[in-house]
Amino acid sequence: MSTSSLDRPSPLPPELLAPAGDIDCVRAAIENGADAVYFGLDCGFNARARAHNFGPADLPEVMDLLHSRGLAGYVTLNTLIFPSELPAIADLLRQISDANVDAVLVQDLGLVRLVRQLVPDLPIHASTQMTMTSAQCIDEIESLGIERVVVGRELSVREIKAIAQKTTMPLECFIHGALCVAYSGQCLTSESLGGRSANRGQCAQACRLPYELIVDGQDRDLSDQKYLLSPQDLAGYALIPDLIDAGVCSLKIEGRLKTPEYVANIVRHYRKAIDDAMAGRAVHLTETEVREMELSFSRGFSPGWLEGCEHKRLVPGQSSAKRGVRAGTVIATNRRGVIVDAEIPLNRGDGVVFDGDRDQQAEQGGRLFDVRALDREDPSRVELQFGTGAIDFDLLEPGQAMWKTDDPKLNQKLKRSYSQTDPIRRRPLRMRVTAAVDQPLRVVAEAAGMAAVEIESDQVMQEARKHPIDEATLHAQLGRMGGTAFELSALSAKIVGRPMLPLSVLGRLRRELVAALEAQAIARPPRRYCESALADLQQSVSKTQAAAASEAGRVPTLHILCRTMDQMQSAIDAGMRDLYADFHDIREYRGAVAMARQAEARIVLATPRIQKPDEYGLFRAMRRHQPDGYLVRNLAGLRYYRNEGFPVIADFSLNATNEISADHLIAQGATRITPSYDLNRQQLTELIEAVPSGWLEIVVHQHMPMFHMEHCVFCSVLSPGTNKTNCGRPCDRHVVHLRDRAGMEHPLQADVACRNTLFNAAAQSAAEIVPSLISAGVAAMRIELLEETGPEIARTIELYQQLLRGEVTGKEVWTQLRASNRVGVTRGTLEERRNPLTIL
């Protein structure tokens, strides 16, 4: 029998989670209604290294402030960890735990294991950098002791609900802020082009740059649509009731690089929206309220992926910068200023900007010196005056759009919300008072999220001759909370007889009560610490490493990854018998396996990089072809093929960067691991020294997969449709490249789920370290093809085979193939520098 909606328990209000780049942002979050705050540390290991951040020594003060006001505090440790950094992060974890931080947000699987064993009482949240996009992915990490998962931003409400129905794991999702076009934890763009790792907190925002479209070898004119990879900002306030119904426990605001005014602004509006939703009221923000949020920061608002994929809406492509609010249109200019048709109120001091050619630095803007009404019957027709020389009026023309970018009055209002001495937002207290003659006055106080505090007067109450104490007097005297963080919301009193107590005693009792509440709020319960945890984890790997020492010096097997049937045939013709197939159309996998069998070659099939709730069937479809193994790119694939008994190779996208994460993947059934591309030459050497070399498969030649996106450029600019259901699949008919500002033409490809990957135009080669890899006993090396054809494939294979035999040097290989001499994507001291023009 089905359960009616009336029988279901009412959903709990979701946590409103605010970002904080500094202490003013913390205060802004507190005073404007956040339930929790997340922030990073200035010693590294957080994905927003450019934020002001906090020092480890600041943690006790920050956490005491948050706890005293009833908020939780989460520290972001959401980057990958290199082997040499493990001791430092172990020390940091102890400081974090001792400061009573409520949870850490973690990306690295090895770090999750370290946290759980080192500080077992410190809760762990899986960062969105971990790319959790299905219940099956979550199932694979649940045994690690993770207590909450921040799901991928690319999920719709429907998909989040489907996940919630198949897991008991609490789910957190982003509700507002900037969107990365690439999957978090899967973007290698700023590293590949500029040597700055997004997985290490150094994203260079290459997605916000202009790109030109090349279709089938010809430039395609897109007019002013230049920002092909820059999404609008997420504003999901209208979908809060649906997310609550889906079971989301925390709604997260992006913005650790933003100002305190931004935090105050966005938090206060989302506080109102959540409260309205929980009260059963319609969630509606007025035009003025939305405009206020846009003025703090906006590239244009959209529901992101929460309503599903609508590529044209998500990435209009006209701009990538903060624009604020559309304010009007230019009518004319004169010697004094600009006459506009204003769409919103404008005031002196407001910042405005006019549309222009941003690439040529011709965009005009400044602060308004004066706003003069020109027509009583049409108040929208105004003349705007600027400071002398602020605007070149010759560059403006009728019809140009004008945007309001800043509102000083709004900023002042927002700043007042968090800069006052006395708290604005207070914690409601409920009191129960017992008063009786010949007994001390007893007060029990409770605040949400706190245990009850009980105190009593140090003297007994006397019988009153004239004015016995009553409930109104108790409420008036005990409710005088002054500048504290508490306010009396309800008081009940049990009064026996005619007791009385001096008001001075009541005042002293009130102060003691507040002190007891404050002490309880910031109390730090003892937490366990296992001193040997890191050494124990490393020791277990070291024993395996010693047992595998005999592999040193063995010539590894060379594998080749092909992306088409023609490439597979060329590889077979060149003598390759260890093949990987990574095809856009997985229906071709049947033919690929048959081709390999006929050539007596081994074949491994590559899974998609992402698995969403309705895509688990892809694994079953690929299983039917019975290959020799699978190259798995997500944890759900690892789980599925391990349980089905197939050999699995964990690919780079599982982000193994240290011996603890590598050991975990091996323990979960991986036969080999491709280390994360975040490792440079020195860091890769550290990993090889820390794990059995037979665990590793090193990619020695490839075009770096930079952006991996739910967003489909093919659909957005080459189709009248909006998503994969109606786009007509232009990806099947066209070869597309994106040209960056340095003139590099990067190949764009779509996978079976219509997700796009933008590959680096230049191949990179690790040929120079191949001799050291052989000496270390690395079991396997891999060449990954992209657009290469027959003769080029044969030449590439022959050169690497000669390298393995010691017949050519690494420099000869990468020079002849015109490849970059690089390992991974994070620049090391021995590697060439990237072209800075691509990013800067």
Side-chain angles (χ1 to χ4, degrees):
M1 184 173 63
S2 63
T3 302
S4 73
S5 59
L6 295 177
D7 297 326
R8 297 175 190 152
S10 299
L12 296 173
E15 171 188 85
L16 178 56
L17 179 54
D22 59 30
I23 194 66
D24 281 340
C25 290
V26 171
R27 295 190 179 101
I30 291 170
E31 300 297 359
N32 286 278
D35 299 306
V37 170
Y38 67 103
F39 56 92
L41 301 177
D42 62 8
C43 54
F45 309 119
N46 87 83
R48 290 293 183 270
R50 290 187 292 120
H52 185 274
N53 294 312
F54 298 86
D58 300 327
L59 280 172
E61 180 183 354
V62 173
M63 292 310 305
D64 282 355
L65 173 61
L66 288 168
H67 289 162
S68 70
R69 303 299 302 278
L71 280 75
Y74 310 139
V75 168
T76 57
L77 296 177
N78 54 344
T79 64
L80 302 177
I81 312 300
F82 300 144
S84 62
E85 297 170 335
L86 288 169
I89 202 163
D91 291 341
L92 182 61
L93 283 168
R94 182 163 196 169
Q95 296 180 70
I96 290 171
S97 183
D98 288 347
N100 203 22
V101 169
D102 294 287
V104 286
L105 284 90
V106 177
Q107 172 187 14
D108 190 294
L109 290 170
L111 181 56
V112 172
R113 293 180 65 197
L114 179 59
V115 174
R116 185 48 58 237
Q117 295 198 35
L118 187 76
V119 281
D121 301 318
L122 178 60
I124 305 170
H125 297 174
S127 166
T128 191
Q129 299 283 118
M130 206 179 278
T131 323
M132 292 288 106
T133 54
S134 71
Q136 292 82 13
C137 288
I138 293 171
D139 287 345
E140 189 67 6
I141 63 169
E142 196 161 6
S143 63
L144 293 173
I146 289 171
E147 299 184 18
R148 183 192 293 184
V149 165
V150 187
V151 297
R153 292 178 235 209
E154 293 77 5
L155 294 170
S156 67
V157 175
R158 179 185 63 81
E159 290 166 334
I160 293 171
K161 187 171 185 176
I163 294 171
Q165 290 172 342
K166 293 185 178 180
T167 181
T168 58
M169 181 71 72
L171 304 181
E172 175 183 309
C173 76
F174 280 90
I175 190 65
H176 190 95
L179 288 172
C180 303
V181 76
Y183 272 91
S184 296
Q186 300 296 318
C187 183
L188 299 164
T189 312
S190 53
E191 304 99 312
S192 185
L193 297 178
R196 297 167 54 178
S197 170
N199 278 329
R200 298 282 293 171
Q202 296 287 347
C203 175
Q205 295 193 313
C207 53
R208 304 300 181 186
L209 298 176
Y211 292 89
E212 296 174 347
L213 186 72
I214 305 169
V215 181
D216 302 327
Q218 301 295 317
D219 282 24
R220 178 70 61 92
D221 183 11
L222 297 176
S223 185
D224 60 349
Q225 195 174 1
K226 301 175 183 178
Y227 300 93
L228 303 179
L229 304 178
S230 181
Q232 294 196 93
D233 291 347
L234 169 64
Y237 52 87
L239 296 166
I240 286 175
D242 298 320
L243 288 165
I244 293 172
D245 180 67
V248 170
C249 75
S250 179
L251 297 173
K252 185 173 190 174
I253 297 168
E254 182 276 337
R256 283 192 285 140
L257 293 171
K258 304 294 197 308
T259 66
E261 289 79 11
Y262 168 89
V263 175
N265 193 349
I266 305 306
V267 167
R268 66 198 293 261
H269 287 103
Y270 277 86
R271 177 76 276 153
K272 174 181 178 294
I274 291 172
D275 291 346
D276 285 345
M278 294 308 300
R281 298 187 293 267
V283 174
H284 173 71
L285 297 184
T286 66
E287 289 185 11
T288 299
E289 289 171 327
V290 174
R291 192 160 62 230
E292 285 184 350
M293 290 199 296
E294 289 180 311
L295 280 168
S296 277
F297 194 94
S298 169
R299 296 182 179 92
F301 283 169
S302 82
W305 284 280
L306 290 175
E307 290 184 341
C309 290
E310 190 170 326
H311 300 291
K312 290 176 169 61
R313 177 176 64 182
L314 182 72
V315 184
Q318 275 81 28
S319 176
S320 68
K322 170 190 173 182
R323 302 309 300 264
V325 182
R326 185 180 172 96
T329 306
V330 174
I331 297 175
T333 62
N334 56 37
R335 289 180 298 175
R336 296 184 305 273
V338 185
I339 300 171
V340 301
D341 181 9
E343 299 173 13
I344 62 173
L346 295 169
N347 299 287
R348 293 180 182 178
D350 287 351
V352 300
V353 66
F354 298 91
D355 270 351
D357 187 344
R358 296 180 64 250
D359 290 339
Q360 301 301 320
Q361 303 300 313
E363 196 172 58
Q364 299 289 301
R367 292 206 175 273
L368 298 181
F369 181 76
D370 197 9
V371 180
R372 296 179 60 242
L374 298 178
D375 189 337
R376 290 183 179 180
E377 296 183 359
D378 183 6
S380 66
R381 188 180 178 90
V382 296
E383 181 182 84
L384 307 180
Q385 297 180 358
F386 298 84
T388 303
I391 299 289
D392 184 348
F393 298 133
D394 291 338
L395 296 177
L396 299 181
E397 56 186 32
Q400 275 183 286
M402 180 185 70
W403 303 77
K404 181 176 176 179
T405 60
D406 187 52
D407 186 330
K409 290 183 179 179
L410 173 62
N411 289 335
Q412 290 168 9
K413 179 180 74 172
L414 294 169
K415 188 171 184 176
R416 284 196 297 272
S417 74
Y418 64 84
S419 59
Q420 297 184 34
T421 303
D422 290 345
I424 296 175
R425 180 189 179 198
R426 301 175 190 268
R427 303 181 72 174
L429 281 180
R430 299 180 305 278
M431 291 188 192
R432 301 192 307 275
V433 183
T434 304
V437 175
D438 296 332
Q439 297 291 327
L441 181 73
R442 182 174 292 108
V443 181
V444 179
E446 293 179 285
M450 294 177 62
V453 170
E454 181 175 341
I455 62 170
E456 59 182 36
S457 61
D458 55 5
Q459 63 187 75
V460 299
M461 303 185 74
Q462 304 296 318
E463 185 168 0
R465 295 180 180 178
K466 293 185 178 180
H467 302 293
I469 202 164
D470 57 21
E471 189 169 306
T473 302
L474 289 169
H475 196 289
Q477 295 301 317
L478 295 177
R480 296 171 63 184
M481 295 291 175
T484 75
F486 300 99
E487 62 181 1
L488 181 58
S489 62
L491 183 144
S492 61
K494 180 181 179 182
I495 300 174
V496 180
R498 292 169 52 81
M500 64 81 63
L501 200 65
L503 296 183
S504 61
V505 175
L506 284 176
R508 185 168 64 249
L509 206 60
R510 181 188 67 246
R511 291 189 292 273
E512 290 175 4
L513 180 67
V514 169
L517 287 164
E518 291 174 340
Q520 187 199 107
I522 65 173
R524 296 178 192 156
R527 282 176 165 174
R528 294 171 291 168
Y529 181 79
C530 178
E531 193 77 46
S532 65
L534 176 57
D536 292 344
L537 288 166
Q538 292 175 320
Q539 183 65 25
S540 65
V541 179
S542 298
K543 290 179 180 178
T544 312
Q545 170 80 325
S550 61
E551 296 174 352
R554 188 183 70 180
V555 176
T557 303
L558 185 63
H559 304 257
I560 187 161
L561 183 144
C562 305
R563 290 191 163 89
T564 66
M565 293 287 285
D566 287 343
Q567 288 181 342
M568 269 194 61
Q569 187 61 62
S570 295
I572 291 171
D573 293 344
M576 293 297 294
R577 291 300 180 266
D578 287 282
L579 310 172
Y580 288 7
D582 182 13
F583 292 175
H584 164 59
D585 187 349
I586 66 169
R587 292 173 298 182
E588 293 185 339
Y589 278 162
R590 180 184 300 278
V593 172
M595 180 184 290
R597 296 283 180 260
Q598 185 175 5
E600 298 183 350
R602 291 167 293 278
I603 184 166
V604 169
L605 301 183
T607 72
R609 207 128 139 219
I610 303 297
Q611 181 254 326
K612 281 190 168 187
D614 59 353
E615 296 170 355
Y616 204 57
L618 290 174
F619 296 145
R620 292 190 288 269
M622 290 173 59
R623 183 191 182 282
R624 290 197 296 266
H625 303 309
Q626 296 288 307
D628 297 290
Y630 291 89
L631 180 66
V632 296
R633 290 173 170 156
N634 55 69
L635 290 174
L638 175 63
R639 180 184 182 88
Y640 178 82
Y641 291 115
R642 173 195 69 215
N643 292 343
E644 292 293 319
F646 285 92
V648 291
I649 299 96
D651 207 4
F652 72 95
S653 52
L654 292 176
N655 281 328
T657 56
N658 58 68
E659 60 266 39
I660 307 176
S661 55
D663 181 62
H664 176 73
L665 292 174
I666 292 293
Q668 296 306 111
T671 55
R672 291 193 303 275
I673 301 161
T674 305
S676 166
Y677 292 157
D678 276 279
L679 297 168
N680 66 16
R681 183 179 305 194
Q682 179 59 39
Q683 293 148 357
L684 180 59
T685 299
E686 292 174 4
L687 180 62
I688 293 170
E689 291 173 349
V691 303
S693 52
W695 285 4
L696 302 178
E697 179 170 314
I698 308 299
V699 177
V700 294
H701 187 95
Q702 65 162 320
H703 292 259
M704 185 67 69
M706 300 189 300
F707 291 112
H708 186 64
M709 308 172 282
E710 189 72 21
H711 175 59
C712 181
V713 178
F714 293 91
C715 177
S716 183
V717 299
L718 296 179
S719 166
T722 58
N723 57 50
K724 63 184 178 183
T725 67
N726 56 24
C727 68
R729 299 190 63 81
C731 54
D732 289 339
R733 304 187 303 276
H734 298 291
V735 176
V736 170
H737 294 75
L738 300 186
R739 183 187 294 119
D740 65 25
R741 296 195 299 177
M744 299 292 288
E745 298 179 4
H746 305 293
L748 184 75
Q749 295 192 358
D751 69 10
V752 62
C754 296
R755 297 183 186 103
N756 286 190
T757 303
L758 188 69
F759 293 86
N760 196 317
Q764 75 172 45
S765 170
E768 285 199 357
I769 70 164
V770 165
S772 63
L773 297 178
I774 295 173
S775 297
V778 171
M781 298 185 196
R782 188 159 87 228
I783 296 169
E784 294 198 349
L785 303 176
L786 184 60
E787 295 182 317
E788 295 88 343
T789 56
E792 190 177 0
I793 293 170
R795 181 60 175 153
T796 300
I797 292 171
E798 176 60 23
L799 280 169
Y800 278 98
Q801 287 176 329
Q802 290 176 350
L803 179 63
L804 293 181
R805 296 193 297 264
E807 297 170 359
V808 296
T809 67
K811 183 175 182 179
E812 288 176 306
V813 172
W814 64 261
T815 302
Q816 291 191 44
L817 294 177
R818 298 181 180 178
S820 299
N821 176 30
R822 280 213 306 268
V823 177
V825 289
T826 304
R827 186 176 58 80
T829 56
L830 301 180
E831 297 166 18
E832 67 173 29
R833 292 185 176 272
R834 316 299 198 266
N835 179 356
L837 295 177
T838 308
I839 292 291
L840 302 178

